[in-house]
Amino acid sequence: MRVNRFDAAALDAVDPMAFVRERFVIPEGLVYLDGNSLGMLPKGVAERVEDVIRRQWGNDLIRSWNTHGWMDAPRRVGDRIASLIGAQAGEVIVADSTSVNIYKLLMAACRMRPGRSVIVTEEGNFPSDRYLIASVAEGLGLTVRVAKTGHIADALQDLDDRVAVASFSHADYRTGALHDIKAVTSACHAVGALTMWDLAHTAGVLDLSLTDANVDFAVGCGYKFLNGGPGAPSFLYVAERHQAMFEQPLTGWLGHAKPFAMSEVYEPSAGIGRAVVGTPSMLSLVALEAALDVFDGVSMAAVRAKSIALTDFMIDCAADQNLGLSVATPLVARERSSHVSFRHLNGFEIVQALFARGVVGDFREPDIMRLGLSPLYTRFVDVWDAVSHLGDVLRTESWRDPAYSIRGTVT
Ligand SMILES: *Cc1c(COP(=O)(O)O)cnc(C)c1O
């Protein structure tokens, strides 16, 4: 098969999701393939945040907590995210960072399985998850069982009634490989263990149903496929059936049933409200809330269909160009999230060389070049352009320019 740019343009011309791109601020000439790390800026966000700063904060001040719905925002935005991940209203709330929420939910989940001594995770899980799992295990005197990535089926065979909690990322941050969230959750439940899923690379891009998968606990990221802006607050999900038993370890005043009673003793709020610790970061939260408008009238099934079409197209274009790179991402569409990763030991330099050509992806140690394909704003021509630049960079070896080996703090 020879794929040319006209084929890509033809796919864009019939793309039912094409109109959504108009909802974003897109820098001229940029091919942005890093929406899995920081989603693009939706139109209207700057105005909404400016209104909160100038009018609500500047003029209405403290009254805004009531009059402008600031206090209700964590639940309100949580309910909107719930509708994107197949959860019920009242099961999701927005607060803190993903890392902090991982800690809160893991602690709570482990405490719900007293007498059990093991947390299960996998080798390739995201570093924050790994470190926090280790910290929770140490704090509670548990041990961590680390499954080899790619061998989760074996790990599920080994599950037993010593396992309190199993915690995985839904998508592998390096390869984009997905776990079968329903099958893994059900295997854990079969031995009485609870599950805690990290949805950082799947919320806002997959047609998830946490209800159908019977998930216990989950966290996700506000600034990746949800486009909430740098450092946007995270969300956490607690299945309704666990909410009354769930003891969140960071017992701050805003998780209290009656924060303004200022009582001496902590009494958790009923429901998901107890997952909150302190005062919400309103400016970030408002940015996230405004950003979610891009999902209006867009079905997650359509988002997923476009994601599959884009990732398939990228894999086809790469094969067509004979790049000679190994694809780290599963070739079977339903087994992958929304990025395509190629392996190369000089991946860092290659990504920098692409950057100089206006193609933004990222590099993850040790050899992963990640190209994220957000279905809301990525076009098929962007994919074609990116792969043809990648082909040029590899053929001309322009990545060998020493300028491309200089590492910033963030890679
Ligand atoms: C991006 C990401 C996070 C981010 O955590 P922060 O607390 O926002 O820094 C967590 N987990 C996974 C799997 C991620 O990809």
Coordinates of all heavy atoms in Angstrom, one line a residue, residues 145-226:
R145 N 3.6 -7.2 45.5 CA 3.9 -8.2 44.5 C 3.9 -7.6 43.1 O 2.9 -7.0 42.7 CB 2.8 -9.3 44.6 CG 3.2 -10.7 44.2 CD 2.1 -11.7 44.2 NE 1.7 -12.2 45.5 CZ 0.6 -12.9 45.7 NH1 -0.3 -13.1 44.7 NH2 0.3 -13.4 46.9
V146 N 5.0 -7.6 42.5 CA 5.1 -6.9 41.2 C 5.1 -7.9 40.0 O 6.0 -8.7 39.9 CB 6.5 -6.1 41.2 CG1 6.5 -5.3 39.9 CG2 6.5 -5.2 42.4
A147 N 4.0 -7.8 39.2 CA 3.9 -8.7 38.1 C 4.8 -8.1 36.9 O 4.9 -6.9 36.8 CB 2.5 -8.8 37.7
K148 N 5.3 -9.1 36.1 CA 6.0 -8.6 34.9 C 5.0 -8.1 33.9 O 4.0 -8.7 33.6 CB 6.7 -9.8 34.3 CG 8.0 -10.2 35.0 CD 9.1 -10.2 33.9 CE 10.5 -10.4 34.5 NZ 10.8 -9.4 35.6
T149 N 5.3 -6.9 33.4 CA 4.4 -6.3 32.4 C 4.4 -7.2 31.2 O 5.4 -7.8 30.7 CB 4.9 -4.9 32.0 OG1 4.7 -4.1 33.2 CG2 4.2 -4.3 30.8
G150 N 3.2 -7.4 30.6 CA 3.1 -8.4 29.5 C 2.7 -9.8 30.0 O 2.4 -10.6 29.2
H151 N 2.8 -10.0 31.3 CA 2.4 -11.3 31.9 C 1.4 -11.2 33.0 O 1.4 -11.9 34.0 CB 3.7 -12.0 32.5 CG 4.7 -12.3 31.4 ND1 5.6 -11.3 31.0 CD2 4.9 -13.4 30.7 CE1 6.3 -11.9 30.0 NE2 5.9 -13.1 29.8
I152 N 0.4 -10.3 32.7 CA -0.6 -10.1 33.7 C -1.5 -11.3 33.9 O -1.9 -11.6 35.0 CB -1.4 -8.8 33.3 CG1 -0.5 -7.6 33.5 CG2 -2.6 -8.6 34.2 CD1 0.2 -7.4 34.8
A153 N -1.7 -12.0 32.8 CA -2.5 -13.2 32.9 C -1.9 -14.2 34.0 O -2.7 -14.7 34.8 CB -2.6 -13.9 31.6
D154 N -0.6 -14.3 34.0 CA 0.0 -15.2 35.0 C -0.2 -14.6 36.4 O -0.5 -15.4 37.3 CB 1.6 -15.3 34.8 CG 1.9 -15.8 33.4 OD1 1.0 -16.5 32.8 OD2 3.0 -15.6 32.9
A155 N -0.1 -13.3 36.5 CA -0.2 -12.7 37.8 C -1.7 -12.9 38.3 O -1.9 -13.1 39.5 CB 0.1 -11.2 37.7
L156 N -2.6 -12.9 37.4 CA -4.0 -13.1 37.8 C -4.2 -14.5 38.3 O -5.0 -14.8 39.2 CB -5.0 -12.7 36.7 CG -4.9 -11.3 36.2 CD1 -5.9 -11.0 35.1 CD2 -5.2 -10.3 37.4
Q157 N -3.5 -15.5 37.6 CA -3.5 -16.9 38.0 C -3.1 -17.0 39.5 O -3.6 -17.9 40.2 CB -2.6 -17.7 37.2 CG -3.1 -17.9 35.7 CD -4.3 -18.8 35.7 OE1 -4.3 -19.8 36.3 NE2 -5.3 -18.5 34.9
D158 N -2.1 -16.2 39.8 CA -1.5 -16.3 41.2 C -2.2 -15.5 42.3 O -1.8 -15.5 43.4 CB 0.0 -15.7 41.1 CG 0.9 -16.6 40.3 OD1 0.5 -17.8 40.1 OD2 2.0 -16.2 39.9
L159 N -3.3 -14.8 41.9 CA -4.0 -14.1 42.9 C -4.6 -15.1 44.0 O -5.0 -16.2 43.7 CB -5.2 -13.4 42.3 CG -4.9 -12.1 41.4 CD1 -6.2 -11.6 40.8 CD2 -4.2 -11.0 42.2
D160 N -4.5 -14.6 45.2 CA -5.1 -15.4 46.3 C -5.7 -14.6 47.4 O -5.7 -13.3 47.2 CB -4.0 -16.3 46.9 CG -2.8 -15.5 47.3 OD1 -3.0 -14.5 48.0 OD2 -1.6 -15.9 47.0
D161 N -6.2 -15.2 48.4 CA -6.9 -14.4 49.4 C -6.0 -13.6 50.4 O -6.4 -13.0 51.3 CB -7.9 -15.3 50.2 CG -7.2 -16.3 51.0 OD1 -5.9 -16.3 51.1 OD2 -7.9 -17.2 51.6
R162 N -4.7 -13.5 50.0 CA -3.8 -12.6 50.8 C -3.8 -11.2 50.1 O -3.3 -10.2 50.7 CB -2.4 -13.1 50.8 CG -2.2 -14.2 51.9 CD -0.8 -14.8 51.7 NE -0.7 -15.5 50.4 CZ 0.4 -16.1 50.0 NH1 1.5 -16.1 50.7 NH2 0.5 -16.6 48.8
V163 N -4.3 -11.2 48.9 CA -4.3 -9.9 48.1 C -5.4 -8.9 48.6 O -6.6 -9.3 48.5 CB -4.4 -10.1 46.6 CG1 -4.4 -8.8 45.9 CG2 -3.3 -11.0 46.1
A164 N -5.0 -7.8 49.1 CA -5.9 -6.8 49.5 C -6.4 -6.0 48.3 O -7.6 -5.8 48.1 CB -5.3 -5.8 50.6
V165 N -5.4 -5.4 47.6 CA -5.7 -4.5 46.5 C -4.8 -4.8 45.3 O -3.6 -5.1 45.5 CB -5.5 -3.1 46.9 CG1 -5.7 -2.1 45.7 CG2 -6.4 -2.7 48.1
A166 N -5.3 -4.8 44.1 CA -4.5 -4.8 42.9 C -4.6 -3.5 42.2 O -5.7 -2.9 42.1 CB -5.0 -5.9 41.9
S167 N -3.5 -2.9 41.8 CA -3.5 -1.5 41.2 C -2.7 -1.5 40.0 O -1.5 -1.8 40.0 CB -3.0 -0.5 42.3 OG -3.2 0.8 41.7
F168 N -3.4 -1.1 38.9 CA -2.7 -1.0 37.6 C -3.1 0.3 36.9 O -4.1 0.9 37.2 CB -3.2 -2.2 36.7 CG -3.0 -3.5 37.2 CD1 -4.0 -4.2 37.8 CD2 -1.7 -4.1 37.2 CE1 -3.8 -5.5 38.3 CE2 -1.5 -5.4 37.7 CZ -2.5 -6.1 38.3
S169 N -2.3 0.7 35.9 CA -2.7 1.7 35.0 C -3.5 1.1 33.9 O -3.1 0.0 33.4 CB -1.5 2.5 34.4 OG -0.9 3.2 35.4
H170 N -4.6 1.7 33.5 CA -5.4 1.1 32.5 C -4.6 1.0 31.2 O -4.7 0.0 30.5 CB -6.7 2.0 32.3 CG -7.7 1.4 31.4 ND1 -8.7 2.1 30.9 CD2 -7.9 0.1 30.9 CE1 -9.5 1.3 30.1 NE2 -9.0 0.1 30.1
A171 N -3.9 2.1 30.8 CA -3.0 2.0 29.7 C -1.6 2.2 30.1 O -1.3 3.0 31.0 CB -3.4 3.1 28.7
D172 N -0.7 1.4 29.5 CA 0.7 1.5 29.8 C 1.2 2.9 29.3 O 1.1 3.1 28.1 CB 1.4 0.3 29.1 CG 2.9 0.3 29.4 OD1 3.6 1.3 29.1 OD2 3.4 -0.7 30.0
Y173 N 1.9 3.7 30.1 CA 2.2 5.0 29.6 C 3.3 5.0 28.6 O 3.4 5.9 27.8 CB 2.7 5.9 30.8 CG 4.0 5.6 31.4 CD1 5.1 6.4 31.0 CD2 4.3 4.5 32.2 CE1 6.4 6.1 31.5 CE2 5.5 4.3 32.7 CZ 6.6 5.1 32.4 OH 7.8 4.8 32.9
R174 N 4.1 3.9 28.5 CA 5.1 3.8 27.4 C 4.5 3.3 26.1 O 4.6 4.0 25.1 CB 6.2 2.8 27.9 CG 7.1 3.4 28.9 CD 8.4 2.5 29.0 NE 9.3 2.9 30.0 CZ 9.3 2.5 31.3 NH1 8.4 1.6 31.7 NH2 10.2 3.0 32.1
T175 N 3.8 2.2 26.2 CA 3.4 1.5 24.9 C 2.0 1.8 24.6 O 1.6 1.5 23.4 CB 3.5 0.0 25.1 OG1 2.6 -0.4 26.1 CG2 5.0 -0.4 25.4
G176 N 1.2 2.3 25.5 CA -0.2 2.5 25.2 C -1.1 1.2 25.3 O -2.3 1.2 25.0
A177 N -0.4 0.1 25.7 CA -1.1 -1.2 25.8 C -2.2 -1.1 26.9 O -1.9 -0.6 28.0 CB -0.2 -2.3 26.1
L178 N -3.4 -1.6 26.6 CA -4.5 -1.5 27.5 C -4.6 -2.8 28.3 O -4.4 -3.9 27.7 CB -5.8 -1.3 26.8 CG -6.1 0.0 26.2 CD1 -7.5 -0.1 25.4 CD2 -6.2 1.1 27.2
H179 N -5.0 -2.7 29.5 CA -5.5 -3.9 30.2 C -7.0 -4.0 29.9 O -7.7 -3.1 29.7 CB -5.4 -3.7 31.7 CG -4.0 -3.9 32.2 ND1 -3.3 -5.1 32.0 CD2 -3.1 -3.1 32.9 CE1 -2.1 -5.0 32.5 NE2 -1.9 -3.8 33.1
D180 N -7.5 -5.3 30.0 CA -8.9 -5.5 29.9 C -9.5 -5.2 31.3 O -9.4 -6.1 32.2 CB -9.2 -7.0 29.5 CG -10.6 -7.3 29.4 OD1 -11.5 -6.6 30.0 OD2 -11.0 -8.2 28.7
I181 N -9.9 -4.0 31.5 CA -10.3 -3.5 32.8 C -11.4 -4.4 33.5 O -11.3 -4.7 34.7 CB -10.7 -2.0 32.8 CG1 -10.8 -1.4 34.1 CG2 -11.9 -1.8 32.0 CD1 -10.8 0.2 34.1
K182 N -12.3 -4.9 32.7 CA -13.4 -5.7 33.2 C -12.9 -7.1 33.7 O -13.2 -7.5 34.8 CB -14.5 -5.8 32.2 CG -15.7 -6.4 32.7 CD -16.9 -6.3 31.6 CE -18.1 -7.0 32.2 NZ -19.2 -6.8 31.2
A183 N -12.1 -7.7 32.8 CA -11.6 -9.0 33.1 C -10.7 -9.0 34.3 O -10.7 -9.9 35.2 CB -10.9 -9.6 31.9
V184 N -9.8 -8.0 34.4 CA -8.8 -8.0 35.5 C -9.6 -7.7 36.8 O -9.3 -8.3 37.8 CB -7.7 -6.9 35.2 CG1 -6.8 -6.7 36.4 CG2 -6.9 -7.2 34.0
T185 N -10.5 -6.8 36.7 CA -11.3 -6.4 37.9 C -12.0 -7.7 38.4 O -12.1 -8.0 39.6 CB -12.3 -5.3 37.6 OG1 -11.5 -4.1 37.2 CG2 -13.1 -4.9 38.8
S186 N -12.6 -8.4 37.5 CA -13.4 -9.5 37.9 C -12.5 -10.6 38.5 O -12.9 -11.3 39.5 CB -14.2 -10.0 36.7 OG -14.3 -11.3 36.5
A187 N -11.3 -10.8 37.9 CA -10.4 -11.8 38.5 C -10.0 -11.4 39.9 O -9.8 -12.2 40.8 CB -9.1 -11.9 37.6
C188 N -9.8 -10.1 40.2 CA -9.5 -9.6 41.5 C -10.6 -9.9 42.5 O -10.4 -10.3 43.6 CB -9.1 -8.2 41.5 SG -7.6 -7.9 40.5
H189 N -11.8 -9.6 42.0 CA -13.0 -9.8 42.9 C -13.2 -11.2 43.2 O -13.7 -11.6 44.3 CB -14.3 -9.2 42.2 CG -14.3 -7.7 42.1 ND1 -15.2 -7.0 41.4 CD2 -13.5 -6.8 42.6 CE1 -15.0 -5.7 41.6 NE2 -13.9 -5.6 42.3
A190 N -12.8 -12.1 42.3 CA -13.0 -13.5 42.5 C -12.2 -14.0 43.8 O -12.6 -15.0 44.4 CB -12.5 -14.3 41.3
V191 N -11.1 -13.3 44.1 CA -10.4 -13.7 45.4 C -10.7 -12.7 46.5 O -10.0 -12.7 47.5 CB -8.8 -13.8 45.1 CG1 -8.5 -14.9 44.1 CG2 -8.2 -12.5 44.7
G192 N -11.6 -11.8 46.3 CA -12.0 -10.9 47.3 C -11.2 -9.6 47.4 O -11.2 -8.9 48.4
A193 N -10.3 -9.4 46.4 CA -9.5 -8.2 46.4 C -10.2 -7.0 45.7 O -11.1 -7.2 44.9 CB -8.2 -8.5 45.6
L194 N -9.7 -5.8 46.1 CA -10.3 -4.6 45.5 C -9.3 -4.1 44.4 O -8.2 -4.5 44.4 CB -10.4 -3.5 46.5 CG -11.5 -3.8 47.6 CD1 -11.3 -2.8 48.8 CD2 -12.9 -3.7 47.0
T195 N -9.9 -3.3 43.5 CA -9.0 -2.8 42.4 C -8.9 -1.2 42.5 O -9.9 -0.6 42.8 CB -9.6 -3.1 41.0 OG1 -11.0 -2.7 41.0 CG2 -9.5 -4.6 40.7
M196 N -7.8 -0.7 42.1 CA -7.6 0.7 42.0 C -6.9 1.0 40.7 O -5.8 0.6 40.4 CB -6.7 1.2 43.2 CG -7.0 2.7 43.6 SD -6.6 3.9 42.3 CE -4.8 3.9 42.5
W197 N -7.6 1.6 39.8 CA -7.2 1.8 38.4 C -6.7 3.3 38.2 O -7.4 4.2 38.6 CB -8.3 1.5 37.4 CG -8.6 0.1 37.3 CD1 -9.5 -0.6 38.0 CD2 -7.9 -0.9 36.4 NE1 -9.5 -1.9 37.6 CE2 -8.5 -2.1 36.7 CE3 -6.9 -0.8 35.5 CZ2 -8.1 -3.3 36.0 CZ3 -6.5 -2.0 34.9 CH2 -7.1 -3.2 35.1
D198 N -5.6 3.4 37.5 CA -5.1 4.8 37.1 C -5.5 5.0 35.6 O -5.0 4.3 34.7 CB -3.6 4.8 37.3 CG -3.0 6.2 37.0 OD1 -3.6 7.0 36.2 OD2 -2.0 6.5 37.5
L199 N -6.4 5.9 35.4 CA -7.0 6.1 34.1 C -6.3 7.3 33.3 O -6.9 7.9 32.4 CB -8.5 6.4 34.2 CG -9.3 5.5 35.0 CD1 -10.8 5.9 35.1 CD2 -9.3 4.1 34.4
A200 N -5.1 7.7 33.8 CA -4.4 8.9 33.2 C -4.4 8.9 31.7 O -4.6 9.9 31.1 CB -3.0 9.0 33.7
H201 N -4.2 7.7 31.1 CA -4.1 7.7 29.6 C -5.4 7.1 28.9 O -5.3 6.8 27.7 CB -2.9 6.9 29.1 CG -1.6 7.7 29.4 ND1 -1.1 8.6 28.4 CD2 -0.7 7.7 30.4 CE1 0.0 9.1 28.9 NE2 0.2 8.6 30.1
T202 N -6.5 7.1 29.7 CA -7.7 6.5 29.0 C -8.9 7.4 29.2 O -9.8 7.5 28.4 CB -8.0 5.1 29.4 OG1 -8.0 5.0 30.9 CG2 -7.0 4.1 28.9
A203 N -8.9 8.2 30.3 CA -10.1 9.1 30.5 C -10.2 10.1 29.5 O -9.2 10.8 29.2 CB -10.0 9.7 31.9
G204 N -11.3 10.3 28.8 CA -11.5 11.3 27.8 C -11.1 10.8 26.4 O -11.2 11.5 25.4
V205 N -10.7 9.5 26.3 CA -10.3 9.0 25.0 C -10.8 7.6 24.7 O -10.9 7.2 23.5 CB -8.7 9.2 24.8 CG1 -8.1 8.0 25.6 CG2 -8.3 9.2 23.4
L206 N -11.3 6.9 25.7 CA -11.9 5.6 25.5 C -13.3 5.7 25.8 O -13.8 6.5 26.6 CB -11.2 4.6 26.4 CG -10.3 3.5 25.8 CD1 -9.1 4.2 25.2 CD2 -10.0 2.5 26.8
D207 N -14.1 4.7 25.3 CA -15.5 4.7 25.7 C -15.6 3.7 26.9 O -16.1 2.6 26.8 CB -16.4 4.2 24.5 CG -15.9 3.0 23.8 OD1 -14.7 2.6 24.0 OD2 -16.6 2.5 22.9
L208 N -15.2 4.3 28.0 CA -15.1 3.5 29.2 C -16.4 3.3 29.9 O -17.3 4.2 29.8 CB -14.2 4.3 30.2 CG -12.8 4.0 30.4 CD1 -12.1 5.1 31.2 CD2 -12.6 2.7 31.1
S209 N -16.6 2.2 30.6 CA -17.7 2.1 31.5 C -17.2 1.5 32.8 O -17.1 0.3 32.9 CB -18.9 1.3 30.9 OG -19.9 1.2 32.0
L210 N -17.0 2.4 33.8 CA -16.5 1.9 35.1 C -17.6 1.1 35.7 O -17.3 0.1 36.4 CB -16.1 3.0 36.0 CG -14.9 3.9 35.5 CD1 -14.4 4.8 36.6 CD2 -13.7 3.0 35.0
T211 N -18.9 1.4 35.5 CA -20.0 0.7 36.0 C -20.0 -0.7 35.5 O -20.1 -1.7 36.3 CB -21.3 1.4 35.7 OG1 -21.2 2.8 36.2 CG2 -22.5 0.7 36.3
D212 N -19.9 -0.8 34.2 CA -20.0 -2.2 33.6 C -18.8 -3.0 34.0 O -18.9 -4.2 34.2 CB -20.0 -2.0 32.1 CG -20.0 -3.3 31.3 OD1 -20.9 -4.1 31.6 OD2 -19.0 -3.6 30.6
A213 N -17.6 -2.4 34.1 CA -16.4 -3.1 34.5 C -16.4 -3.4 36.0 O -15.5 -4.1 36.5 CB -15.1 -2.3 34.1
N214 N -17.3 -2.8 36.8 CA -17.4 -3.1 38.2 C -16.2 -2.6 39.0 O -15.8 -3.2 40.0 CB -17.7 -4.6 38.4 CG -18.6 -4.8 39.6 OD1 -19.2 -3.9 40.2 ND2 -18.7 -6.1 40.0
V215 N -15.6 -1.6 38.5 CA -14.4 -1.0 39.1 C -14.7 -0.5 40.5 O -15.8 0.0 40.8 CB -13.8 0.1 38.2 CG1 -12.8 0.9 39.0 CG2 -13.2 -0.5 37.0
D216 N -13.7 -0.7 41.4 CA -13.9 -0.2 42.8 C -13.5 1.2 43.0 O -14.2 2.1 43.5 CB -13.1 -1.1 43.8 CG -13.5 -2.6 43.6 OD1 -14.6 -2.9 44.0 OD2 -12.7 -3.4 43.1
F217 N -12.2 1.5 42.6 CA -11.6 2.8 42.8 C -10.8 3.2 41.5 O -10.3 2.3 40.9 CB -10.7 2.8 44.0 CG -11.3 2.5 45.3 CD1 -11.2 1.2 45.8 CD2 -12.0 3.4 46.0 CE1 -11.8 0.8 47.0 CE2 -12.6 3.1 47.2 CZ -12.5 1.8 47.7
A218 N -10.8 4.5 41.2 CA -10.0 4.9 40.1 C -9.6 6.3 40.3 O -10.3 7.1 41.0 CB -10.8 4.7 38.8
V219 N -8.5 6.7 39.6 CA -8.0 8.1 39.6 C -7.8 8.4 38.1 O -7.6 7.5 37.3 CB -6.7 8.3 40.4 CG1 -6.9 8.1 41.8 CG2 -5.6 7.5 39.8
G220 N -7.7 9.7 37.8 CA -7.4 10.1 36.4 C -6.9 11.5 36.4 O -7.0 12.3 37.4
C221 N -6.4 11.9 35.3 CA -5.6 13.1 35.1 C -6.5 14.2 34.4 O -7.2 13.9 33.4 CB -4.5 12.7 34.3 SG -3.1 13.8 34.4
G222 N -6.5 15.4 34.9 CA -7.3 16.5 34.3 C -6.6 17.2 33.1 O -7.3 17.8 32.3
Y223 N -5.3 17.0 33.0 CA -4.6 17.8 31.9 C -4.2 17.1 30.7 O -3.6 17.6 29.8 CB -3.4 18.5 32.6 CG -2.4 17.6 33.3 CD1 -1.5 16.8 32.6 CD2 -2.4 17.5 34.7 CE1 -0.6 16.0 33.3 CE2 -1.6 16.7 35.4 CZ -0.7 15.9 34.7 OH 0.2 15.1 35.4
K224 N -4.5 15.8 30.6 CA -4.1 15.0 29.4 C -5.3 15.0 28.4 O -5.5 16.1 27.9 CB -3.7 13.6 29.9 CG -2.4 13.6 30.6 CD -2.0 12.3 31.2 CE -0.6 12.4 31.9 NZ -0.3 11.4 32.8
F225 N -6.0 13.9 28.3 CA -7.0 13.9 27.3 C -8.3 14.7 27.7 O -9.2 14.9 26.9 CB -7.4 12.5 26.9 CG -6.3 11.8 26.1 CD1 -5.7 10.7 26.6 CD2 -6.0 12.2 24.8 CE1 -4.7 10.0 25.9 CE2 -5.0 11.6 24.1 CZ -4.4 10.4 24.6
L226 N -8.3 15.2 28.9 CA -9.4 16.1 29.3 C -9.1 17.6 29.1 O -9.9 18.4 29.4 CB -9.8 15.8 30.8 CG -10.3 14.4 31.1 CD1 -10.7 14.3 32.6 CD2 -11.6 14.1 30.3

